[in-house]
Amino acid sequence: MLPSYASPVERVWFYLFRGFNILVLLFLVSPLLAIIPLSFSADSFLVYPVKAWSLRWYEEFFTSGEWTRALMNSFIVAPAATLIATALGTLAAVGLTSSEFPGKSLIMSILISPMVVPVVIVGVGAYLFMAPLGLTNNYFGLILVHAALGVPFVVITVSATLKGFNVNLMKASANLGAGPLTTFRRVVMPLIAPGVISGALFAFATSFDEVVVTLFLAGPEQVTLPRQMFSGIKENISPAIAAAATVLILFSIALLLTLEWLRGRAERIRTLQH
């Protein structure tokens, strides 16, 4: 809020800055606003203006064999990759934040490298590594690589949560006779749960949206929803792609709302600790 004692220059700057932010937001959101109406078009092509409205493309998306198979594959790969990434990322974050040892910064850099390395390089490297092992064209190899892409998000969010963790709670648990596993399960995990769940949601979104690595590793039976959309754009631009994109937009909004709720919960827990 602008304070009542602000000078005219400060008021002008305040409104200019807010106006610029709104324009940037509209620029970022405009592609979404453009694709949603096309998903309700009755035409057989992506064309403006929309002449007639229909739900035929949503019907095709939810009933077509290709789209339902791609959606099912995404819900096979993404949850499995999320479970692996969450377990490994949480353990890594706890280990890295609970003690000091030589090479800690190097290990952290390696763990978050999949986030900063171009995904094309990750795809090529994963293919060259997985192909001799026979892990291409199957779910297992695809899930492993998707999990590796999700681990950095879990490590970062859980590490951020542990930064504000009160270690005296662990000492109190040990003084009361609880072992390390009991302390982690009964004391640490409930308090860092918002960070763990947030990291898991980021890992899930990363896996669910990933297309480049999937192009390198997946076979015809492992086609995920993003890869099906990519193939559809190359071969036949159908408004069913717009319907799929709209469903993904709604799904992403639901994830963002969940993350915001978790952020608020984490803030309340941190306040109670102090």
Side-chain angles (χ1 to χ4, degrees):
M1 292 294 294
L2 188 65
S4 58
Y5 54 81
S7 67
V9 174
E10 290 174 335
R11 291 177 181 276
V12 171
W13 170 251
F14 176 83
Y15 289 113
L16 283 177
F17 184 71
R18 295 301 186 277
F20 177 75
N21 288 339
I22 292 173
L23 290 176
V24 171
L25 180 62
L26 289 175
F27 176 78
L28 295 174
V29 175
S30 56
L32 306 182
L33 300 179
I35 200 67
I36 292 175
L38 290 174
S39 67
F40 295 97
S41 172
D43 294 328
S44 298
F45 301 96
L46 297 173
V47 28
Y48 270 114
V50 177
K51 300 177 182 178
W53 303 95
S54 173
L55 294 175
R56 59 179 291 199
W57 303 115
Y58 287 94
E59 181 181 359
E60 178 176 337
F61 175 74
F62 287 109
T63 59
S64 169
E66 291 183 348
W67 287 106
T68 54
R69 183 186 64 179
L71 186 62
M72 182 183 67
N73 285 337
S74 290
F75 278 108
I76 290 174
V77 174
T82 300
L83 288 175
I84 297 174
T86 303
L88 297 180
T90 301
L91 293 176
V94 172
L96 288 170
T97 56
S98 61
S99 59
E100 295 292 334
F101 54 88
K104 177 180 176 179
S105 299
L106 177 62
I107 294 176
M108 176 63 80
S109 300
I110 293 174
L111 286 174
I112 66 173
S113 61
M115 182 186 293
V116 296
V117 174
V119 70
V120 174
I121 297 178
V122 175
V124 173
Y127 176 79
L128 294 177
F129 179 79
M130 295 288 190
L133 301 176
L135 294 178
T136 58
N137 299 335
N138 61 63
Y139 289 105
F140 184 66
L142 189 61
I143 289 171
L144 288 180
V145 179
H146 278 212
L149 292 174
V151 163
F153 296 96
V154 181
V155 171
I156 290 174
T157 56
V158 176
S159 296
T161 304
L162 288 169
K163 290 295 182 182
F165 182 76
N166 189 353
V167 295
N168 291 327
L169 297 175
M170 297 178 62
K171 296 178 181 179
S173 175
N175 287 336
L176 293 173
L181 291 178
T182 303
T183 299
F184 179 80
R185 182 171 57 88
R186 301 288 296 274
V187 177
V188 178
M189 193 60 190
L191 294 176
I192 67 171
V196 174
I197 298 174
S198 298
L201 289 176
F202 278 116
F204 182 87
T206 300
S207 175
F208 199 86
D209 189 53
E210 212 295 312
V211 63
V212 177
V213 170
T214 307
L215 288 172
F216 280 97
L217 297 179
E221 298 300 322
Q222 294 84 43
V223 174
T224 58
L225 186 58
R227 178 174 169 178
Q228 179 65 29
M229 295 173 67
F230 181 79
S231 301
I233 293 173
K234 288 176 55 181
E235 299 167 3
N236 180 27
I237 301 180
S238 166
I241 297 175
T246 302
V247 171
L248 288 180
I249 290 170
L250 295 176
F251 184 70
S252 300
I253 291 174
L255 286 180
L256 288 174
L257 292 175
T258 304
L259 286 171
E260 181 61 23
W261 177 79
L262 290 171
R263 187 194 64 80
R265 185 175 183 272
E267 288 294 332
R268 291 191 298 271
I269 291 176
R270 190 175 295 111
T271 302
L272 290 174
Q273 288 187 54
H274 297 285

